[in-house]
Amino acid sequence: MVQNITIVTDQYGKETEEQIRAEAASQLGVEQQRISAVLLIKKSIDARRGKLKVNLRYAVYVDEQPPAVSVKPLVLKQADPSKSVIIIGSGPAGLFAALKLLESGIKPIILERGPDVTARKRDIAMISREQRVNPDSNYCFGEGGAGTYSDGKLYTRSKKRGEISSVTGVLYEHGADERILTDAHPHIGTDKLGDIVQKIRERIISCGGEVHFSTQVMGITKDIHKNVTGVITDEGIGFPAKAIIAATGHSAGEFYEMLQSAGVTIEAKPFAVGVRVEHPRTLIDSIQYHGMNPGTLGAATYTLKAQVGERGVYSFCMCPGGIVVPSATDDDQIAVNGMSPSGRNTRWSNAAFVVEVTPDDIPAEFGGPADPLCGLRYQRFLEHEAKEQGKGQKAPAQRMTDFVSHMPSRKLPETSYAPGVVASRLDLWIPGHITKRLIKAFRFFDTRMHGFLSDKAVLIAIETRTSSPVRITRDPQTLEVLGIGGLYAAGEGSGYAGGIVSSAMDGQAIASAVAARLLQ
Ligand SMILES: Cc1cc2nc3c(=O)[nH]c(=O)nc-3n(C[C@H](O)[C@H](O)[C@H](O)COP(=O)(O)OP(=O)(O)OC[C@H]3O[C@@H](n4cnc5c(N)ncnc54)[C@H](O)[C@@H]3O)c2cc1C
């Protein structure tokens, strides 16, 4: 028999397993020896009325054993070289598409514009050291895509448990901690992702797949019936193919332009623009825990959202105990993002605060709402503006209190952003439809989290890449793109997915459609 109990404690993490079992036995009225396991299924924090309480929900196993954590191991076949598919990009969508193809014995040939994880690490260090961005090797491009130096939060809005575990199971099989299989909010941590990605690559190669680094796809070739025949790389090398999966992520602007001029149907879609907000971690912890963390709760998180006029303003990718990172993909831009190490133990906590931007919000000079690439151009313009306001990769920044009262920041607080920050009037140069809403939202959020609107908080600009401004339209039946036969778009860059898990699941779904076509 399995029964659930709730224990309320102000000493979270200090109770022994023995004490929890004794409490479970007393609540259920059974002898303690009959309890074989107590498993934590939910933790919620209640810091109202000046007291911190942690509500812990446990599943108690009486006279029976809990099921072992079950992971369906990947069963891959040796690739048949006569059946191959080109995958452009080695992010979560590309890697999980490759594994899915290998389940059917189809050979994936991955072409990745950036280098492997090891070389990429050096280029990422260079951004802060030399204030330069390598356009092929940065926080977004290179082995593992934007997923490798990401935060590794594995949250998704998808409710398809089976499909989610097909992603978390693979990550676990390649080195991630077992907890990601059971945690309600699984997090891998940026320090662990590189090894996992390399192991997945080795697995693909061991089954006969190919991975070509520093190989940028510049064009798609097609026959007179508008079916793909292959790709052309930056070195003019042709790779023949009957099917291609483009998993290039949403930072590959020039790839969208190439697809559009090749006749592929692309649509503008809503995206979001804003800033990274960084607070001292102790401040967020004391707001969320009312200054009563028994020392065992870890860095506090938050989720905030507001409706300001007709647009939503919301926190995104909250990184407790994390850092703000430079995620531009070219030297003429500044774009920021955030991540946490697995210990979530830096002195800061940050989150993106972004405002919804629809094609109708975009000024006509960027092409107008009917132009599929208007959002992409607007995004580039804002990132270029941020570069003009910053210095090298030093990002423009303003104290939160100065931002809301339209004042310059004379001195900025210390931040985690390694390239450095320069004081800038974000309230003046970020477009008004964004700043006005951010200001209203920050005031409102302060009523939800007293102390959130603080002179210790700093806004770092600009956050433009929380989602894709473009969608590559799919045929609902075949999932092919419209315009070229045999071409598929997967992951975040397709505009149908966002985040690690959903991009990986999309890569799997697209690979299944390709496999069905090749094997019919
Ligand atoms: C700093 C940071 C932190 C993040 N934190 C999280 C998080 O905690 N949780 C989460 O779910 N998501 C997070 N994300 C977002 C997540 O990383 C992306 O949603 C995800 O990686 C998208 O996967 P993808 O495979 O579709 O594309 P990407 O990961 O963007 O991969 C695309 C790949 O294609 C390659 N490519 C592009 N153009 C070409 C070309 N022409 N030829 C060859 N190769 C090409 C690129 O080099 C890249 O490697 C974070 C992102 C960043 C930057």
Side-chain angles (χ1 to χ4, degrees):
M1 149 177 99
V2 187
Q3 279 192 277
N4 291 348
I5 61 154
T6 300
I7 298 178
V8 182
T9 175
D10 58 3
Q11 292 297 309
Y12 172 72
K14 296 191 176 161
E15 313 84 356
T16 63
E17 165 98 14
E18 207 44 36
Q19 287 167 327
I20 297 166
R21 279 169 182 261
E23 174 65 24
S26 141
Q27 284 196 29
L28 297 178
V30 300
E31 289 161 20
Q32 201 174 323
Q33 306 85 281
R34 290 177 57 201
I35 295 179
S36 54
V38 278
L39 302 184
L40 182 63
I41 48 179
K42 193 168 177 208
K43 176 181 89 188
S44 60
I45 295 164
D46 179 356
R48 289 170 300 172
R49 288 187 283 279
K51 271 193 156 252
L52 182 118
K53 287 186 189 150
V54 184
N55 301 312
L56 302 165
R57 190 121 183 98
Y58 287 97
V60 184
Y61 288 78
V62 182
D63 299 331
E64 70 174 88
Q65 292 297 326
V69 175
S70 75
V71 179
K72 226 166 97 196
L74 271 179
V75 181
L76 304 184
K77 294 187 178 148
Q78 205 54 34
D80 171 356
S82 71
K83 290 194 181 66
S84 64
V85 172
I86 286 187
I87 298 175
I88 312 171
S90 69
L95 291 176
F96 279 79
L99 294 171
K100 185 51 88 182
L101 291 174
L102 283 168
E103 287 180 23
S104 306
I106 296 170
K107 176 177 173 170
I109 301 174
I110 299 181
L111 307 179
E112 165 56 57
R113 71 181 279 178
D116 67 14
V117 167
T118 315
R120 202 175 158 195
K121 210 174 190 163
R122 286 194 292 271
D123 293 326
I124 282 177
M126 184 183 80
I127 302 175
S128 303
R129 210 178 43 241
E130 297 175 24
Q131 301 283 327
R132 269 192 307 121
V133 177
N134 177 337
D136 294 314
S137 178
N138 45 59
Y139 272 97
C140 295
F141 294 163
E143 182 173 17
T148 307
Y149 292 97
S150 76
D151 193 17
K153 285 189 284 289
L154 303 178
Y155 320 160
T156 169
R157 271 174 290 194
S158 170
K159 296 276 178 282
K160 299 176 187 160
R161 288 280 9 136
E163 291 174 24
I164 294 168
S165 64
S166 76
V167 174
T168 49
V170 170
L171 295 169
Y172 166 66
E173 210 178 322
H174 293 85
D177 196 286
E178 191 180 76
R179 276 181 320 192
I180 67 163
L181 303 173
T182 48
D183 279 1
H185 291 109
H187 171 240
I188 293 185
T190 192
D191 43 327
K192 307 265 168 82
L193 284 158
D195 284 349
I196 297 169
V197 163
Q198 289 188 72
K199 285 194 185 122
I200 294 177
R201 179 234 303 169
E202 283 157 15
R203 183 86 181 270
I204 291 168
I205 293 173
S206 74
C207 295
E210 291 178 20
V211 181
H212 300 257
F213 291 117
S214 302
T215 305
Q216 183 178 0
V217 171
M218 304 297 280
I220 308 268
T221 54
K222 50 190 180 197
D223 62 19
I224 50 163
H225 306 293
K226 295 194 181 158
N227 289 319
V228 291
T229 55
V231 298
I232 303 280
T233 72
D234 51 341
E235 295 198 335
I237 299 168
F239 282 81
K242 289 204 178 95
I244 298 169
I245 300 176
T248 49
H250 69 14
S251 292
E254 67 289 347
F255 193 79
Y256 289 125
E257 287 165 340
M258 183 274 286
L259 287 183
Q260 196 195 29
S261 52
V264 171
T265 305
I266 293 181
E267 309 159 53
K269 71 179 254 308
F271 65 114
V273 174
V275 293
R276 265 286 142 175
V277 173
E278 183 170 80
H279 289 83
R281 186 179 110 199
T282 47
L283 176 60
I284 295 297
D285 288 356
S286 83
I287 297 173
Q288 295 299 76
Y289 298 144
H290 291 231
M292 297 175 290
N293 184 357
T296 47
L297 279 171
T301 62
Y302 58 77
T303 306
L304 293 164
K305 59 178 177 208
Q307 187 71 21
V308 183
E310 295 185 331
R311 299 283 176 266
V313 183
Y314 54 93
S315 63
F316 184 82
C317 182
M318 200 263 149
C319 301
I323 56 170
V324 182
V325 297
S327 60
T329 43
D330 225 320
D331 225 11
D332 67 351
Q333 320 158 337
I334 288 181
V336 295
N337 210 307
M339 59 160 68
S340 302
S342 52
R344 292 182 156 170
N345 52 3
T346 75
R347 286 183 283 136
W348 297 272
S349 289
N350 72 69
F353 280 84
V354 287
V355 179
E356 278 178 304
V357 174
T358 72
D360 290 331
D361 297 326
I362 297 173
E365 64 201 271
F366 300 100
D371 184 332
L373 298 183
C374 64
L376 187 68
R377 288 196 203 99
Y378 192 46
Q379 187 188 49
R380 278 186 185 158
F381 163 78
L382 294 170
E383 292 170 356
H384 187 68
E385 280 291 288
K387 172 82 182 187
E388 296 277 298
Q389 298 294 329
K391 190 162 185 264
Q393 281 297 310
K394 287 189 187 5
Q398 190 173 16
R399 278 182 201 266
M400 188 186 263
T401 40
D402 293 333
F403 179 76
V404 299
S405 47
H406 299 283
M407 298 281 288
S409 292
R410 304 214 183 285
K411 197 164 176 282
L412 292 168
E414 191 191 351
T415 76
S416 68
Y417 182 76
V421 288
V422 290
S424 165
R425 292 292 302 268
L426 309 191
D427 60 309
L428 294 184
W429 65 264
I430 296 179
H433 67 103
I434 296 161
T435 52
K436 273 193 297 200
R437 292 190 166 97
L438 283 176
I439 289 171
K440 283 196 174 145
F442 289 152
R443 292 209 162 103
F444 171 71
F445 295 150
D446 193 56
T447 66
R448 291 286 173 273
M449 274 176 67
H450 298 291
F452 173 86
L453 177 42
S454 161
D455 67 348
K456 295 192 176 67
V458 64
L459 277 47
I460 306 177
I462 195 164
E463 181 92 33
T464 43
R465 302 197 190 182
T466 56
S467 65
S468 172
V470 166
R471 177 174 295 128
I472 305 174
T473 319
R474 281 178 187 167
D475 178 297
Q477 256 78 50
T478 65
L479 303 188
E480 279 168 298
V481 308
L482 302 181
I484 302 185
L487 178 61
Y488 298 77
E492 194 156 48
S494 71
Y496 287 89
I500 295 170
V501 173
S502 97
S503 299
M505 279 166 35
D506 195 51
Q508 293 173 326
I510 292 293
S512 297
V514 176
R517 183 184 131 130
L518 291 189
L519 299 176
Q520 73 189 0

